[in-house]
Amino acid sequence: MALDDKKSRFKYVGTTPNRPDGVDKVTGKAQYGADITAPGMLTGAILRSPHPHARIVSIDTSAAEAIPGVRAVVTGKDFAPVEDQGFADIGETCMARDKVLYDGHPVAAVAATTPAIAKAAIRAIKVEYAPLPHVTDVDEAMRPDAPVVLEGRALEHVPAGMSQNVTNTCEFGHGDVEAGFAKADLVLERSFKVAAAHQGYIEPHACMASVTSDGRADLYCCTQGHFFVRAVCSALMGMEASQLRVTASEIGGGFGGKTTVFIEPVALMLSKKSGRPVKLVMTRDEVFKASGPTVHASIDCKIGMTKDGRITAGDMTLRYSGGAWPSGTIEMGAQAGFAAYDMPAVRTIGWTALTNRPKEISYRAPGAPQAVYAVEAVIDEMCQQLGLDPLKTRLKNAAAKGTLSSYGVTFDEIGMVATLEAAQAHPHWSAPLGPNQGRGVAAGFWFNFGGNTCVTLNINTDGTASVTEGNPDIGGSRASISLMAAEELGIRYENVRTIVADTASLGYNDNTDGSRVTFAVGLATIKAARAAIKVMCERAAALWGIDAEAVDWIDGAAHPSGPNAGKFPPMTLAEIAAQSFQTGGPIAGHHEVNVDGAGVSFGVHICDVEVDPETGHTLVKRYTVVQDAGKAVHPTYVEGQMQGGAVQGIGWALNEEYIYGKDGRLQNAGFLDYRIPVASDLPKIDTVILEIPNPGHPYGVRGVGETPIVPPLAAVTNAVSRTIGKRMYQVPMSPPRILSAIKGA
Amino acid sequence: MKSIQVSTTINGDPVEFLCTPDEPLLDVLRNRLGLTGAKEGCGTGDCGACSVTVNGRLVCSCLVLGVEAEGAQIETIEGMAQGETLHPLQRHFIEKAALQCGVCTPGILVAAKSLLEKNASPTDEEVRYWLAGNLCRCTGYDKIIEAVQSAAAEMRGEV
Amino acid sequence: MRYMTAETAEAASTALAAEPGLARVLAGGTDLLVQLKAGMIQPDLVVDIKKIPGIREITPEAGGWRIGAAVANAELKEHAQVKADWPGVVEGANLIGSTQVQGRCTMAGNLCNGSPAADAVPGLVAADASVTIVGPSGTRVAKVADIPAGPGRTTLAKGEIVTAIHLPARAPRSADAYLRFIPRTEMDIAVASAAVSLTLSEDGTVTHARVALGAVAPKVVLADASTIIGTKLDDAALAALAKAAESVCNPIDDKRGTIEFRTSTAGVLARRAALIAYNRAKGVK
C-alpha cells in the first residue's frame, strides 16, 4: 500500500458544502448550554461582591437556607484547597475564599426549586466585607506603593524592589538594539494604551451538573474544551477524572473566552450538596463582570528606520495586566509584536501585574493584537514622517522563509510577503478617497497551535464513515473535518458524519483554541482515515489472496497496485465494509497525537474610515482582509473567520473597552454600553485568501481563526490618524478621544 | 407570587400556560413550553437573540411579559419551517454560511422574515439597520446580509 | 408582584394610587422589564394600560395629532401624516432601541422613564407638545417640557398616568428635525441630542423656533432660539445657535461622554438639526 504524505490536488477539500449542524441551528433545535435540562433540576444563582477588593469578614447564609425551596448553599469553604496552582487560581475565580478581588467576584451560591426562589435566597445572604484599597490600572499597579492584590505570587526572576503585583517578566529578541538605532535615520518612540476587551459571545456561560451520591458526576456545558473542564472540575471537586463525564453542548461563541471554567465547579458543588441536577446560567452582566476579558496594556515602542525604509532595530516594553491572578499572556504578546519583520536587532521586554479585575482569559490571538498594534502604528507614523509607502516599507522588511524571528524561531514557508503583495495588488489599495476619509494598513501575525488530539474513525457497513472527535464545533469545524475524512477515504462528504464526543468516549483533546482544530484535528482525522484505509487494503488483499502491500487505495476503492499484483476489479469502500463481518470484523482507524508543526499565519488589512471632524464620529467605509490560510478546507468558512475576526478588531479599535470607575467597579457591564459592532456600523468586509501550504500538515492547512483580529487595531488607528492629521495612541478611539486629538488637546 | 393562567396561540397552535406576573415571555417559551429556539443573550433588549413576533410585530420576547401573551398570536423560530421544508431564509443562511456558532441565528431569522414581509426588496443598508438590534459576534454580518438578500431574491421569484 | 390590565384610565389611576407599595405602569415595557431583570425595582403592582380604549390610537385633533400613550413607536413611524407634519418628533421616537424595541416602546413611556437622554423627548419639547394626565384628582393637561424632573424622576403625582400626547397644529412652512450623537450607528443611548422646530415666512426668514437639547443636563433644556429667529440661517446665525446651545449645557462626565464632548457636540447637533428643519420647511429634500 502506498500513501503520499502530502496532497495538493483535492476533490472535496476546497469545496463549500452545507454544515451538518446547519438545519438544527436554523430551526432552533440545536441545544446550547442553557437549553439542557434534567428531571428534578434545580436552578442555581450566584451572589457576587460589589467591592473590587475586600476581606470577607463573615458570610451568614442561615436566612437563605431557611427559605422554602432552597436546597443548597455553597461558599468558598465548601471547596478543599488544591495543590496545582493553576487550578487553584481558576477555583478562586469561581468562588472567593478570604478576599474578594474584583467587582463581581462570587462569594456564595444557592440552588433552589425555581429561579425566583434562587434570586430571593441570594438577596437573603449577608456578607460582611472589610474594604481594601484597590487598583485597576496596570501602570498604577506596578508602582511600588500600589495596593497589593495578591502577595507572594511573583516568579523568582522578577527583580526585587518592585510592587508585589508584578508577577512576571520576560524578554525576547536578538542583535544589538542600540547599535541598530545608531544606524537609523529616524528613531521614533511612542507610548500606547489598549483597554481590555471582552470576547462578547452572544451565549452566556451555562451548565447543568448532576452529581450522584456514589461520587459520579455528569456535566453539560458550553465550552471550548470539555476535557480541560473535566481536568479543572475534577481537581476542584476532589474527584477522579474518570468519574466526571463532561459533554459539550453546542456553543454560542467563545473566541477563547470559554477555554476555562467560571460556573461549572459551583454547579457541581451545588448538585453534590443538594443531590439534584443543577442548572447555572450567567446573566449578561455577570458575563461582563466575572468572565474573562483580555488583558489591558500599556506599551512603549521604539523603532529605528533608515530614510529608505529599512528597519534597523526595534525595542518594545509591554505591561499587561490579566486581572487579579498571574497571567501568561504577556509572553505571547512579547513574542508576537515584531514577528512580521526581518530585523537585525530586536528586543521585547514584557511585564505582567495584578489588578483588581476579573481573571483574564484568551481572546482570539491572546496578547498579540496589543503588541502588534504598537509596532504597526509606529511604523505607519515613521512612513508618514519619512514620506514612504506603508506597504512597500513593510515589504522591504517582511519576514520570509529563513528569517530569524523576533521570538527566536527561524521561519519555514510563510506568507508575509505574499499577503503584502496581494494587498498592494488589490483594487482597494489604489481606490480614491472622499472628503474626511483616510486609509490605513497594518499587518498581523499569529503562531497557531497544534496540541493533544484524538480522533476515531469508524467505517460503517453501509459504506459510510463516522468521525468521533473531541473538540467543540464553534463555527463549522464538523464540516471541515468531514471534508478531510471524505477526501482521504474517497467517499462523498455527505457520507461522513462527524460528532463531538464526551470526555468518557475519547482520549484527551486540548481546547478548541489557538486556531488548532482544522489543523490538528484535521491532521489526526487524515491519519485515522489512513489507518482505516490500511485495514481496508488488508481486507481486500485477503479477499483477493494477495499481499496487502500490493494494494493501493485510489478514489475510495482498493486497487491491485500493478499488473504483477493480480488482475482484480477495484473493490470499493462500500464493498469492503459490507463484507467486514466476514473478513475480520468492524473496520476503524484512530489516531492520537500531540501535534507539532502548526504553520504561522500572516494577514494584511486595509481600512478606509470617514471621520466627522466636528464630533469625531468614525465610520469604517471599506475594509479588506488578506490572509494566508495554508489551504482553505472550506473557503466560505475561512472567509467567515477572516470577516468575523476583523470586525471584532474594528469594534475594539473604535468602541469596545472595560470602563472602571474610581470606585473600582465596572461601569459598562452590558451590551448597551459595551458597544460591539452592529450590522449598520459596517461595510462589506472583502476577503482575499492566499494558500501558501504549511509544511507541517498533509494538506498544507494553517490555522486561520485568530490572525484576523491582530491587524485591525492598527489598521483603523492608521486610517483615523491619517484622516485627522493627528496620531492616535490609545485604543479604543472613542469619539471623545478622536475629537480631543482633532482639537489638539 | 401567584401564577396566572394565560391562553395564547403559538405558531398556530393553541397553548395554555401558567406563569408568574413578572415572568418574561422568553422564560415562558424556554422554561415552561420547551421552545428553546429563542435565546437569552442579554435579557435587556440589546441583542435580539430572543426575537419573536407578537400579533405580527417583531419584538424581543425578553421585554414582553408572559401574561401579555393572553389572546395574542405568537410566532417563534420553531414555526418558521413548514414540516421538512425550510423557509428560504433558513436555507440561504445554511448555504451562504450566515451562521458560525448559530446562537444568534434564530433571532436573526425571525427578524429577517419580519423585514421581508414588510419590504420584499430591501437595500443592504435597510437590512443592516433593520437587523441592528440583532448582535452577531461571529460573522461580522457580511454573510448574513448576503443570505437575506439571496433569500429575498428567491422569494421575489428572481432565481 | 400583581399584574392587572386596566379597562379605563380612571381604573388604572385608582389602582396605582391605592397601591401602598411600589406600583408601575406597563405600556411598551421596554424600560420596565429591563429594570425588573436587573433587580433595580421590585414592584408590588404593574398596571397594563394597553387595553384602555383609544390608548393605542393616533387621531387628528384641532389640526394637530393625539397620540395614545400606548402607541408603539413602530406604529407611529408607519403613520404617514404624522410623519409629514412632525418628521423630527417621529425620527426621535424611532431612534429608541432596535427594530424589536420599536415594536413595543412608546413616546409616553420614554417621557415617563425620566431619562435625560430620552430620544423622544427633545422633539416633543421643541414641538411644544402637551400630555393629558389622568390622576386621582381628575384629568389635567401639561406641557411635555414640564414632565421630567431630573434623572429617573417626573413631576407626575402618585396615581397619575399619561394617556395621550398632543402635537399642535402646524403653520405653513414649518418643520422639525432631531439629531443625536451616539458612538455607533444604532443601539446606543444619546450622548448629546438636539431637536429644532421652526416656522418660516414666505421669504424664508425664521419667524418661530424652539430648540431643545437632550443628554446635556439633568433634564431636557431649551436653547435660546432667538439666535436664529429673524434670520435665514446664515452662518453667523448658526454659529450663534451653536454657542447658545453650548451655553445651556450642564452635562455630566460619564462612561458615555465627557462634559467637554457633550457640550461641543450639542452645539454641532443644534446647528445641523436647524439646517435640516430649515430645508424641510422650505420643501428642500
Side-chain angles (χ1 to χ4, degrees):
Chain A
M1 169 179 123
L3 286 171
D4 286 337
D5 180 50
K6 292 284 177 340
K7 205 170 163 105
S8 55
R9 294 168 65 92
F10 301 96
K11 190 167 175 184
Y12 299 104
V13 164
T15 64
T16 59
N18 293 342
R19 54 196 287 171
D21 51 334
V23 173
D24 277 353
K25 285 182 175 166
V26 299
T27 54
K29 289 190 185 110
Q31 289 203 299
Y32 293 83
D35 302 336
I36 312 280
T37 57
M41 187 177 82
L42 303 173
T43 301
I46 292 177
L47 177 67
R48 296 176 182 279
S49 164
H51 300 284
H53 195 191
R55 193 160 299 287
I56 299 172
V57 178
S58 65
I59 304 176
D60 179 359
T61 61
S62 55
E65 282 162 41
I67 296 175
V70 173
R71 294 306 186 102
V73 179
V74 162
T75 68
K77 291 193 170 63
D78 289 295
F79 293 92
V82 295
E83 266 183 41
D84 182 288
Q85 186 67 58
F87 288 171
D89 285 353
I90 293 172
E92 204 182 355
T93 64
C94 298
M95 192 56 71
R97 290 182 174 281
D98 311 320
K99 282 211 300 187
V100 292
L101 299 171
Y102 61 93
D103 171 27
H105 198 164
V107 291
V110 302
T113 48
T114 71
I117 295 173
K119 255 186 170 176
I122 285 300
R123 283 194 291 267
I125 296 172
K126 294 177 194 71
V127 184
E128 193 187 332
Y129 298 99
L132 298 166
H134 63 269
V135 60
T136 56
D137 175 78
V138 64
D139 288 324
E140 288 172 22
M142 287 182 70
R143 290 191 193 133
D145 59 347
V148 175
V149 178
L150 284 177
E151 291 178 357
R153 295 304 302 272
L155 295 175
E156 277 176 12
H157 61 269
V158 173
M162 303 191 79
S163 162
Q164 287 201 66
N165 293 324
V166 179
T167 54
N168 194 10
T169 180
C170 58
E171 182 172 335
F172 298 92
H174 58 255
D176 184 339
V177 172
E178 293 312 321
F181 287 131
K183 287 182 200 146
D185 296 307
L186 174 65
V187 175
L188 195 68
E189 180 168 16
R190 294 290 184 233
S191 296
F192 300 87
K193 279 266 197 183
V194 183
H198 195 274
Q199 299 82 357
Y201 32 81
I202 307 301
E203 180 201 29
H205 297 267
C207 67
M208 204 279 290
S210 181
V211 182
T212 51
S213 54
D214 61 358
R216 291 171 214 275
D218 269 287
L219 175 66
Y220 300 83
C221 57
C222 52
T223 176
Q224 290 176 246
H226 40 309
F227 291 89
F228 183 73
V229 171
R230 181 184 64 176
V232 183
C233 290
S234 59
L236 294 173
M237 293 293 291
M239 299 173 68
E240 287 177 9
S242 61
Q243 299 309 308
L244 173 60
R245 185 177 66 149
V246 184
T247 305
S249 67
E250 293 300 326
I251 176 170
F255 317 107
K258 290 177 182 165
T259 56
T260 185
V261 298
F262 296 105
I263 53 173
E264 290 80 355
V266 179
L268 284 163
M269 192 58 81
L270 287 168
S271 176
K272 185 181 179 188
K273 289 185 83 170
S274 64
R276 300 261 292 263
V278 174
K279 175 142 90 181
L280 200 46
V281 181
M282 275 193 178
T283 58
R284 178 54 57 184
D285 70 310
E286 290 182 299
V287 171
F288 278 112
K289 277 185 178 164
S291 67
T294 64
V295 298
H296 70 284
S298 163
I299 303 170
D300 305 320
C301 180
K302 183 177 176 184
I303 294 176
M305 199 182 269
T306 60
K307 54 178 184 265
D308 63 347
R310 179 76 189 133
I311 296 174
T312 60
D315 191 4
M316 181 158 62
T317 301
L318 302 169
R319 294 169 294 272
Y320 285 8
S321 174
W325 289 269
S327 128
T329 299
I330 186 66
E331 304 214 357
M332 288 189 279
Q335 292 180 48
F338 286 109
Y341 300 106
D342 184 357
M343 297 168 66
V346 56
R347 176 171 64 191
T348 311
I349 296 170
W351 298 95
T352 191
L354 307 178
T355 51
N356 292 109
R357 292 180 179 227
K359 182 171 166 41
E360 164 247 0
I361 191 66
S362 304
Y363 179 26
R364 220 168 188 153
Q370 299 91 335
V372 170
Y373 153 66
V375 170
E376 293 293 313
V378 172
I379 289 177
D380 196 63
E381 187 173 351
M382 297 182 88
C383 288
Q384 275 187 304
Q385 289 194 17
L386 293 170
L388 298 169
D389 176 280
L391 274 180
K392 283 183 190 152
T393 305
R394 284 173 173 83
L395 263 172
K396 190 166 273 182
N397 297 286
K401 184 175 183 177
T403 295
L404 172 60
S405 73
S406 58
Y407 61 100
V409 312
T410 299
F411 287 131
D412 201 325
E413 290 293 346
I414 57 169
M416 179 62 185
V417 170
T419 50
L420 287 165
E421 287 172 348
Q424 246 179 350
H426 195 283
H428 183 174
W429 184 239
S430 46
L433 288 162
N436 298 318
Q437 293 184 355
R439 179 167 298 145
V441 67
F445 156 90
W446 182 244
F447 310 92
N448 295 324
F449 296 176
N452 295 297
T453 310
C454 302
V455 169
T456 294
L457 186 151
N458 289 291
I459 304 295
N460 304 315
T461 52
D462 64 351
T464 62
S466 302
V467 178
T468 305
E469 51 120 337
N471 277 94
D473 178 352
I474 204 158
S477 59
R478 277 171 290 210
S480 305
I481 301 306
S482 294
L483 276 169
M484 287 185 270
E487 186 73 52
E488 205 60 35
L489 295 170
I491 61 175
R492 294 191 312 129
Y493 166 80
E494 291 75 14
N495 290 346
V496 181
R497 178 153 190 195
T498 298
I499 63 132
V500 180
D502 62 54
T503 55
S505 308
L506 210 57
Y508 192 92
N509 285 271
D510 281 337
N511 286 334
T512 294
D513 68 4
S515 303
R516 70 173 219 96
V517 173
T518 307
F519 165 71
V521 180
L523 183 142
T525 299
I526 291 164
K527 297 280 173 77
R530 288 177 184 178
I533 287 167
K534 183 164 180 288
V535 176
M536 290 189 283
C537 288
E538 287 163 4
R539 299 291 175 90
L543 286 165
W544 288 330
I546 65 173
D547 194 358
E549 296 301 310
V551 178
D552 284 344
W553 190 261
I554 301 162
D555 263 350
H559 294 251
S561 57
N564 295 339
K567 213 168 152 35
F568 304 100
M571 194 179 292
T572 65
L573 181 147
E575 289 164 344
I576 297 169
Q579 299 175 75
S580 60
F581 291 1
Q582 289 79 45
T583 58
I587 298 167
H590 62 98
H591 195 73
E592 295 78 27
V593 62
N594 188 349
V595 188
D596 207 355
V600 301
S601 167
F602 293 91
V604 173
H605 294 196
I606 310 168
C607 172
D608 292 359
V609 298
E610 185 172 306
V611 182
D612 181 336
E614 290 186 316
T615 65
H617 192 260
T618 299
L619 276 178
V620 175
K621 303 299 283 185
R622 187 170 180 180
Y623 204 95
T624 300
V625 178
V626 184
Q627 191 178 316
D628 171 21
K631 173 69 199 171
V633 175
H634 191 300
T636 47
Y637 294 173
V638 170
E639 286 173 8
Q641 290 295 318
M642 291 160 66
Q643 291 166 332
V647 166
Q648 287 183 320
I650 290 168
W652 198 351
L654 291 175
N655 281 308
E656 294 181 35
E657 65 178 315
Y658 263 49
I659 304 171
Y660 281 91
K662 285 200 172 70
D663 58 1
R665 301 195 66 186
L666 183 62
Q667 301 200 339
N668 58 336
F671 279 136
L672 186 62
D673 285 303
Y674 183 88
R675 305 184 194 95
I676 75 171
V678 301
S680 50
D681 292 344
L682 297 158
K684 260 188 81 61
I685 308 293
D686 201 1
T687 56
V688 179
I689 300 172
L690 302 178
E691 295 186 322
I692 291 101
N694 167 21
H697 187 279
Y699 298 172
V701 170
R702 296 176 195 269
V704 296
E706 287 167 294
T707 302
I709 203 175
V710 181
L713 300 191
V716 181
T717 293
N718 296 341
V720 169
S721 299
R722 284 170 181 264
T723 305
I724 66 174
K726 300 273 177 62
R727 294 300 307 187
M728 298 294 298
Y729 301 109
Q730 185 171 5
V731 161
M733 295 175 287
S734 60
R737 288 176 187 144
I738 292 176
L739 188 63
S740 160
I742 290 171
K743 291 184 169 176
Chain B
M1 207 178 292
K2 206 168 170 209
S3 290
I4 295 174
Q5 184 178 344
V6 178
S7 301
T8 187
T9 303
I10 302 180
N11 300 325
D13 298 327
V15 173
E16 297 213 351
F17 60 84
L18 284 173
C19 73
T20 58
D22 63 348
E23 200 169 325
L25 177 60
L26 174 62
D27 291 3
V28 171
L29 293 172
R30 291 181 51 81
N31 302 338
R32 295 189 187 264
L33 303 177
L35 296 169
T36 55
K39 306 298 180 192
E40 179 174 315
C42 66
T44 51
D46 297 311
C47 80
C50 65
S51 296
V52 302
T53 60
V54 176
N55 296 329
R57 190 66 76 177
L58 180 68
V59 299
C60 287
S61 60
C62 73
L63 295 184
V64 178
L65 290 176
V67 291
E68 293 182 80
E70 176 65 40
Q73 299 278 334
I74 294 166
E75 297 285 332
T76 72
I77 185 64
E78 286 89 352
M80 201 161 164
Q82 297 302 312
E84 288 196 318
T85 309
L86 296 180
H87 187 280
L89 277 163
Q90 292 174 308
R91 200 156 25 76
H92 284 270
F93 264 58
I94 298 175
E95 289 167 2
K96 300 279 180 189
L99 58 140
Q100 286 181 29
C101 81
V103 83
C104 69
T105 308
I108 292 185
L109 286 166
V110 169
K113 179 165 174 269
S114 165
L115 167 65
L116 297 184
E117 282 164 2
K118 285 186 186 295
N119 179 357
S121 310
T123 63
D124 281 3
E125 195 181 9
E126 284 169 336
V127 178
R128 285 181 182 274
Y129 274 90
W130 183 272
L131 294 179
N134 289 91
L135 300 181
C136 169
R137 191 59 158 171
C138 293
T139 63
Y141 303 103
D142 236 70
K143 296 190 189 301
I144 291 172
I145 310 305
E146 266 181 56
V148 171
Q149 292 293 24
S150 61
E154 182 186 313
M155 289 165 71
R156 292 192 300 266
E158 288 170 15
V159 183
Chain C
M1 175 182 135
R2 287 170 296 116
Y3 167 84
M4 70 167 275
T5 50
E7 302 294 332
T8 64
E10 290 71 22
S13 168
T14 304
L16 291 162
E19 173 56 49
L22 185 64
R24 279 286 188 276
V25 173
L26 172 64
T30 52
D31 286 312
L32 178 64
L33 269 86
V34 172
Q35 291 162 4
L36 287 176
K37 174 83 183 175
M40 287 160 65
I41 57 165
Q42 291 174 275
D44 299 285
L45 175 70
V46 165
V47 179
D48 188 340
I49 61 168
K50 290 194 288 296
K51 296 282 198 300
I52 294 172
I55 206 149
R56 302 193 66 170
E57 284 167 19
I58 299 171
T59 42
E61 168 192 81
W65 296 97
R66 177 190 183 279
I67 319 281
V71 170
N73 288 352
E75 295 161 355
L76 182 68
K77 183 186 186 177
E78 290 161 9
H79 199 289
Q81 293 161 285
V82 176
K83 210 173 165 181
D85 280 359
W86 294 100
V89 168
V90 175
E91 67 200 357
N94 285 133
L95 285 173
I96 301 167
S98 60
T99 315
Q100 286 85 340
V101 168
Q102 285 290 309
R104 293 267 296 171
C105 70
T106 65
M107 289 202 294
N110 197 226
L111 174 63
C112 295
N113 188 48
S115 166
D119 279 312
V121 177
L124 291 171
V125 170
D128 204 17
S130 310
V131 288
T132 295
I133 298 161
V134 174
S137 49
T139 301
R140 67 183 177 101
V141 174
K143 292 288 188 191
V144 166
D146 294 331
I147 300 300
R153 293 184 298 117
T154 67
T155 55
L156 296 172
K158 184 167 173 67
E160 282 193 323
I161 62 168
V162 171
T163 56
I165 292 171
H166 308 275
L167 286 166
R170 247 358 200 153
R173 294 176 302 281
S174 297
D176 66 341
Y178 175 76
L179 289 174
R180 67 167 181 190
F181 183 88
I182 55 170
R184 291 182 291 187
T185 54
E186 276 284 351
M187 301 305 290
D188 294 333
I189 303 289
V191 179
S193 66
V196 176
S197 175
L198 46 70
T199 300
L200 309 182
S201 67
E202 278 183 22
D203 75 345
T205 304
V206 178
T207 58
H208 169 83
R210 276 171 73 89
V211 178
L213 308 175
V216 290
K219 53 184 191 175
V220 63
V221 287
L222 286 168
D224 181 4
S226 70
T227 46
I228 54 171
I229 292 171
T231 77
K232 292 184 179 176
L233 281 198
D234 52 279
D235 288 350
L238 287 169
L241 173 63
K243 213 161 175 196
E246 290 181 15
S247 73
V248 294
C249 291
N250 177 25
I252 54 166
D253 254 326
D254 74 355
K255 61 197 172 191
R256 292 174 187 148
T258 58
I259 292 170
E260 187 193 5
F261 180 79
R262 284 193 151 106
T263 306
S264 90
T265 301
V268 171
L269 296 178
R271 174 159 51 75
R272 291 180 182 178
L275 266 178
I276 295 169
Y278 187 82
N279 285 328
R280 282 176 178 165
K282 281 174 73 175
V284 179
K285 276 282 168 184

